[in-house]
Amino acid sequence: MAGSPSPSDAPDVPSGDDVAVARAADDADPQPPPGPVPEPGPEPGLEPGLEAAPWGASLPWWSVDQGGGTGPQNVQDGTGPHAVPPPPNGTGPLPVAPQPPLPGAGPGERKPVPRLLLGAGVGALLVVVLLAGVLAFRSNGGKKTGSEITASKRRITAVAVAGGLRRDGTAQPVTSAAYPFVAAAVRAGGVPVSKDGAAVYADAPGGPLNVLFMGGTGAVGDPVAFLRTIRPPTFIAAQSTGPGKEGGRALCGSFAVLAEVHVYCAWATKDSYGVVASNIAVRAAANATNTTNTTNTVDAAGSPGTALDVTAAANQEIPVVADLMRRIRQDVEKPRR
């Protein structure tokens, strides 16, 4: 309608809720208006004009002064945390000393072999080696190398009669004149005499033929080298001779027995040997130019002028002893059955 006020010009009419609220406020006791807020004064103990610190009486955490507060304190000599030393004689943890490894095998390790088992294994190995050596010895026909004796195809036995001479049962080989020299030569050869391989042979008691025989079988090897080895220690001269139909090599020579000269002959094969040495000294005929000598013979101990005669007499006696050696060999050396 014309002349009616517009809604925007009309005064606001309070709603029912607003009216109730206003009435409740009017019924309440009136409150005095708040007075003015007093300005804060200085802290006790501070001089006028100084303001109190915002943290109060406590020292700040960066302060270097030692106050009585409970805040954090600065750390001397360093900026980081320090380990606290253990109290002396305390009950705190102690450093653990390194301990040796416990007995027993770790992962991937072998356990030690017991000594008894180890000894048994070594013993079994030795038995196997010995058995192999025995089998090799038998498969090789009983032969061994070096200084060991081999099984010979021959045997040496000093029979009762050899080379036309009889074995002297009253004379022991060790008591004969040639024995010390022949025995030393045989020991140098390294092949011992057979069990019954030594004897004294003679044509008659006190006769011109009396010889020592010593022989054996074994690893002789090279006959020529062996004959050189078994020469008597007082060897004088030697010459080769025939060994006989049994084969091998033979050598004859002379050697000194104190002031006398004796003759010997020896044979050798690869697996046997024998020595025949005269127990009677060589005697030479008197020098026809020596008019002062009234005897028919002189020995090597005679005057120096008879030395050549003794050597000549020994050379003449060697063929006799060599023939006797061959005849004795035929009787004392036999094939092994």
Side-chain angles (χ1 to χ4, degrees):
M1 290 174 51
S4 298
S6 64
S8 60
D9 296 335
D12 294 332
V13 180
S15 64
D17 293 336
D18 294 335
V19 173
V21 172
R23 287 178 180 176
D26 293 337
D27 294 338
D29 295 331
Q31 296 291 333
V37 178
E39 295 182 2
E43 290 286 338
L46 293 179
E47 297 179 2
L50 294 179
E51 296 181 357
W55 49 83
S58 298
L59 294 176
W61 62 270
W62 63 84
S63 174
V64 296
D65 293 333
Q66 301 297 326
T70 59
Q73 302 295 324
N74 62 318
V75 180
Q76 298 293 332
D77 298 332
T79 57
H82 289 258
V84 179
N89 300 326
T91 58
L94 298 177
V96 180
Q99 299 294 330
L102 294 177
E109 297 181 358
R110 290 186 176 180
K111 294 184 178 180
V113 181
R115 293 184 178 179
L116 186 59
L117 269 177
L118 185 60
V122 173
L125 182 60
L126 290 177
V127 171
V128 172
V129 172
L130 289 176
L131 289 177
V134 171
L135 292 177
F137 173 76
R138 291 181 177 178
S139 63
N140 196 27
K143 294 184 179 181
K144 293 183 179 180
T145 58
S147 61
E148 296 177 328
I149 299 176
T150 64
S152 174
K153 296 180 180 179
R154 311 166 192 265
R155 59 183 177 86
I156 299 290
T157 305
V159 294
V161 178
L165 303 179
R166 291 187 176 274
R167 182 172 181 172
D168 190 351
T170 62
Q172 296 297 323
V174 295
T175 62
S176 62
Y179 180 83
F181 307 92
V182 176
V186 169
R187 284 195 298 270
V191 181
V193 178
S194 297
K195 183 179 181 181
D196 191 17
V200 174
Y201 291 97
D203 57 350
L209 291 178
N210 187 293
V211 297
L212 168 69
F213 168 75
M214 297 182 71
T217 60
V220 172
D222 183 7
V224 175
F226 185 80
L227 290 174
R228 286 197 300 265
T229 303
I230 64 170
R231 293 184 301 190
T234 56
F235 168 79
I236 298 174
Q239 55 182 276
S240 60
T241 187
K245 63 180 182 179
E246 291 82 7
R249 303 295 293 269
L251 186 70
C252 292
S254 58
F255 62 99
V257 177
L258 299 178
E260 298 177 337
V261 176
H262 292 240
V263 174
Y264 82 99
C265 289
W267 87 85
T269 65
K270 292 183 177 181
D271 56 357
S272 68
Y273 72 94
V275 181
V276 176
S278 176
N279 286 318
I280 300 176
V282 173
R283 297 190 177 274
N287 192 340
T289 60
N290 188 358
T291 58
T292 61
N293 193 339
T294 59
T295 61
N296 293 329
T297 60
V298 295
D299 56 22
S303 62
T306 63
L308 293 177
D309 296 333
V310 172
T311 302
N315 291 337
Q316 292 176 1
E317 192 173 332
I318 283 177
V320 177
V321 177
D323 181 67
L324 182 61
M325 176 203 68
R326 287 186 287 268
R327 289 189 285 115
I328 291 177
R329 180 184 180 185
Q330 290 179 354
D331 296 326
V332 300
E333 184 183 63
K334 299 295 181 180
R336 185 177 295 276
R337 296 177 181 178

